[in-house]
Amino acid sequence: MFSPIGNLFIGLSVNSVVGIHLLPPFTDRHYTPLPLPLLLCFSTVLVVCYLMISGRVSMGEKSRQKTCIITAAVILFLFSLLPIWHMDYFSSSRWPLQYSFSCTLNGRTDVAMITPWLAPIVWNGSYNIDILNEQFHQKGVRIGLTVFAIKKYIVFIKTFIETAEQFFMVGNKVNYYVFTDRPTDVSFIPLKEGRRLVVLEVPSYKRWQEVTMRRMEMIRNYSQQLFINEVDYLVCVDVDMKFSDEVGVEILSDVFGTLHPSFYGASREQFTHERRPQSEAFIPVDEGDFYYAGGCFGGTVEEVYKLTNFCHNAMMTDKGKNIEAIWHDESYLNKYFLYHKPTKVLSPEYLWNNNFGGRNFLKRRRFVAVTKNNVEIRKN
């Protein structure tokens, strides 16, 4: 009854009216049908084009050929638009997000948010933890947390681990590496799934200064022997502390340091860097970006190895010259960061002493010192 081309146009006409409204449910996406009047107009155009091309409407042969070509192009274009038109193609229901979306964060103007070398300074409100968690979970990141519980400092380990379980890297795989000369004094502490406690027995030293300096050597050695095979990042902190708020993957970077709370906002001249030129930790008065705390630093295992190797070798060189840097391992850490800039800097939120009281810039106190008698705890 109809020519092949006629069958094509009639089929398209029927499809435009019926098929679009009765699309098979091959997906769970939401479809919005085109309005019926618009579909009828579209179908009418197809029928008229068929009549013109088939010769039922009087027109010249050349005009008919031209009309055929133009009509075919228009039809192909219209049908290419149909999936976009009657499906909520660009709606949030088609591309669901795993977190509440915001193009910008609520930036702060009362504190520095970035270093001169463009490394971020991490403050509350400077990141979206949902986005970061998604990124790190996709990578299956493992984090190692190192502490030294030597001699009487073993008394702090229970509170440290218990508060870490509550606030540190929640939902992530964590290995607690406890360096101690008293492994039998480490009591059992229940841990969440994916988290484990590893006790590493190490020698003790007579002076607490020697203990704090030797930790660079121990972290360096175990980075090669153990950590590189078990974790991706290391976070190296003091044990006489407790977690009091969330500390998550926002701190992780190739290598990071923490601003010392005692020197936040101080001038360069006030920093207590090692000022003796004979020392490997020497920093001139007119140099130094920040004063970093020795109580919280870290990064990838490879980068932490480089940092601790530098610090240990510098200490050994100074020891050969009978020099002990003014603030021990912290002085060498600051020297390293002067010439090997950290890729991320943590604000004093991540290392605080409540004896300092409150500060307007401090919105959260995430990792704080516990109250103790320094003289008593450092006795042999």
Side-chain angles (χ1 to χ4, degrees):
M1 180 177 181
F2 295 104
S3 64
I5 193 170
N7 289 331
L8 170 65
F9 277 106
I10 292 175
L12 291 176
S13 301
V14 173
N15 257 347
S16 65
V17 178
V18 179
I20 294 174
H21 280 263
L22 300 175
L23 282 171
F26 59 87
T27 176
D28 61 353
R29 304 298 184 193
H30 176 66
Y31 284 83
T32 303
L34 288 172
L36 186 60
L38 184 60
L39 290 174
L40 292 175
C41 290
F42 183 53
S43 302
T44 302
V45 169
L46 292 178
V47 172
V48 171
C49 289
Y50 162 68
L51 294 175
M52 293 173 65
I53 294 171
S54 63
R56 302 194 181 191
V57 176
S58 178
M59 61 189 302
E61 184 63 28
K62 290 185 177 179
S63 296
R64 187 177 295 113
Q65 292 177 354
K66 184 177 180 181
T67 301
C68 181
I69 294 172
I70 295 174
T71 302
V74 170
I75 291 172
L76 289 174
F77 173 73
L78 289 175
F79 268 85
S80 70
L81 293 179
L82 288 178
I84 296 177
W85 194 325
H86 59 73
M87 181 167 61
D88 294 336
Y89 197 80
F90 296 112
S91 71
S92 60
S93 62
R94 176 170 173 79
W95 308 107
L97 296 170
Q98 302 301 315
Y99 44 82
S100 58
F101 179 74
S102 175
C103 291
T104 58
L105 293 166
N106 295 324
R108 293 177 59 176
T109 58
D110 58 326
V111 293
M113 300 289 287
I114 195 167
T115 68
W117 58 94
L118 302 182
I121 303 176
V122 185
W123 295 90
N124 181 54
S126 66
Y127 58 89
N128 185 316
I129 193 60
D130 295 325
I131 297 176
L132 294 177
N133 276 332
E134 187 69 23
Q135 290 178 331
F136 281 96
H137 285 160
Q138 288 176 0
K139 298 175 183 177
V141 164
R142 303 163 299 169
I143 303 113
L145 182 61
T146 70
V147 288
F148 284 76
I150 308 293
K151 296 183 177 180
K152 293 182 180 180
Y153 280 80
I154 193 69
V155 300
F156 300 113
I157 196 65
K158 187 174 186 294
T159 297
F160 179 89
I161 298 294
E162 287 177 345
T163 58
E165 280 294 282
Q166 188 176 359
F167 295 112
F168 181 76
M169 300 291 172
V170 176
N172 292 281
K173 298 176 183 177
V174 175
N175 284 3
Y176 299 106
Y177 295 113
V178 178
F179 293 82
T180 182
D181 58 337
R182 301 178 182 180
T184 57
D185 291 346
V186 179
S187 59
F188 171 78
I189 302 172
L191 304 178
K192 298 174 184 175
E193 183 179 355
R195 301 162 84 94
R196 52 191 287 255
L197 178 62
V198 181
V199 179
L200 304 172
E201 186 173 4
V202 294
S204 182
Y205 297 92
K206 291 183 179 181
R207 300 168 58 243
W208 69 267
Q209 294 92 337
E210 189 79 4
V211 171
T212 188
M213 287 198 293
R214 285 288 179 176
R215 69 175 183 163
M216 290 295 186
E217 177 187 18
M218 297 178 196
I219 294 174
R220 181 200 66 172
N221 293 344
Y222 276 94
S223 291
Q224 283 187 312
Q225 300 167 12
L226 179 66
F227 303 153
I228 192 66
N229 300 316
E230 294 191 346
V231 295
D232 304 295
Y233 291 90
L234 286 173
V235 181
C236 309
V237 298
D238 289 342
V239 72
D240 52 345
M241 306 283 293
K242 66 179 180 180
F243 293 90
S244 56
D245 206 335
E246 295 174 348
V247 175
V249 296
E250 75 277 0
I251 72 172
L252 299 180
S253 187
D254 285 351
V255 59
F256 64 85
T258 305
L259 300 180
H260 199 298
S262 297
F263 296 96
Y264 180 76
S267 65
R268 178 181 286 164
E269 294 74 21
Q270 294 174 295
F271 296 160
T272 55
H273 292 312
E274 175 56 60
R275 301 303 187 189
R276 291 171 292 176
Q278 299 85 355
S279 173
E280 295 296 309
F282 169 65
I283 297 177
V285 177
D286 59 347
E287 293 186 30
D289 307 298
F290 302 102
Y291 190 87
Y292 299 96
C296 184
F297 64 90
T300 63
V301 176
E302 295 85 353
E303 290 298 325
V304 170
Y305 171 81
K306 294 176 185 178
L307 183 157
T308 53
N309 185 57
F310 170 89
C311 292
H312 174 66
N313 289 338
M315 289 178 201
M316 292 300 100
T317 301
D318 273 358
K319 188 173 183 179
K321 296 184 287 187
N322 200 29
I323 296 175
E324 191 172 274
I326 181 172
W327 287 113
H328 318 107
D329 58 330
E330 188 172 84
S331 296
Y332 298 99
L333 177 73
N334 275 272
K335 179 63 174 285
Y336 183 83
F337 280 150
L338 177 59
Y339 298 111
H340 305 82
K341 306 296 188 190
T343 53
K344 187 175 284 186
V345 176
L346 308 186
S347 69
E349 293 177 1
Y350 294 89
L351 192 70
W352 190 253
N353 190 322
N354 285 328
N355 291 333
F356 297 157
R359 297 289 190 276
N360 291 333
F361 61 81
L362 196 70
K363 306 303 181 184
R364 301 173 78 171
R365 305 179 190 188
R366 304 171 187 266
F367 191 46
V368 298
V370 299
T371 303
K372 64 181 183 298
N373 184 326
N374 283 326
V375 174
E376 180 62 30
I377 203 71
R378 290 172 179 171
K379 283 182 180 180
N380 291 329

